[in-house]
Amino acid sequence: MIVQYSYISWSPPYLTEGEELELGQRIAAVGREQFEREFRESIKKAHLKNQTPKSGIAAWPEEIRYIILIVLFGVGGLFLLRA
């Protein structure tokens, strides 16, 4: 079994007065809603880019993995019954 978890800790970034003004001007230029939409999309893209692709058995289709698991348990059960 593979268990994955994420721990997210965030504190607001420290911006100089010039950076705050620049950010405010960018938000004012495109509007708050559009700025937030673009920001959320950039976060999603960064998150997807940082995910590692599945490899090995984890990359196999889920149905195949379950079939193999059932067969292995079945063979194990047969050996236990013979003993």
Side-chain angles (χ1 to χ4, degrees):
M1 173 175 28
I2 297 175
V3 177
Q4 293 180 336
Y5 66 92
S6 295
Y7 175 75
I8 299 173
S9 176
W10 186 82
S11 58
Y14 172 76
L15 299 176
T16 64
E17 285 187 32
E19 291 171 331
E20 285 180 0
L21 286 173
E22 181 183 338
L23 182 60
Q25 290 171 346
R26 285 179 32 207
I27 293 171
V30 296
R32 180 179 174 199
E33 293 81 17
Q34 178 68 22
F35 181 83
E36 286 179 357
R37 190 177 311 115
E38 290 173 358
F39 181 72
R40 286 187 183 114
E41 289 173 5
S42 70
I43 289 174
K44 287 179 188 176
K45 287 179 184 176
H47 177 70
L48 293 174
K49 187 172 140 183
N50 290 336
Q51 288 183 342
T52 56
K54 293 181 179 180
S55 62
I57 294 175
W60 295 4
E62 188 173 339
E63 297 84 11
I64 300 295
R65 289 183 281 157
Y66 282 128
I67 290 171
I68 291 172
L69 186 64
I70 290 169
V71 168
L72 289 175
F73 276 120
V75 170
L78 288 175
F79 280 119
L80 287 175
L81 288 175
R82 290 183 102 198

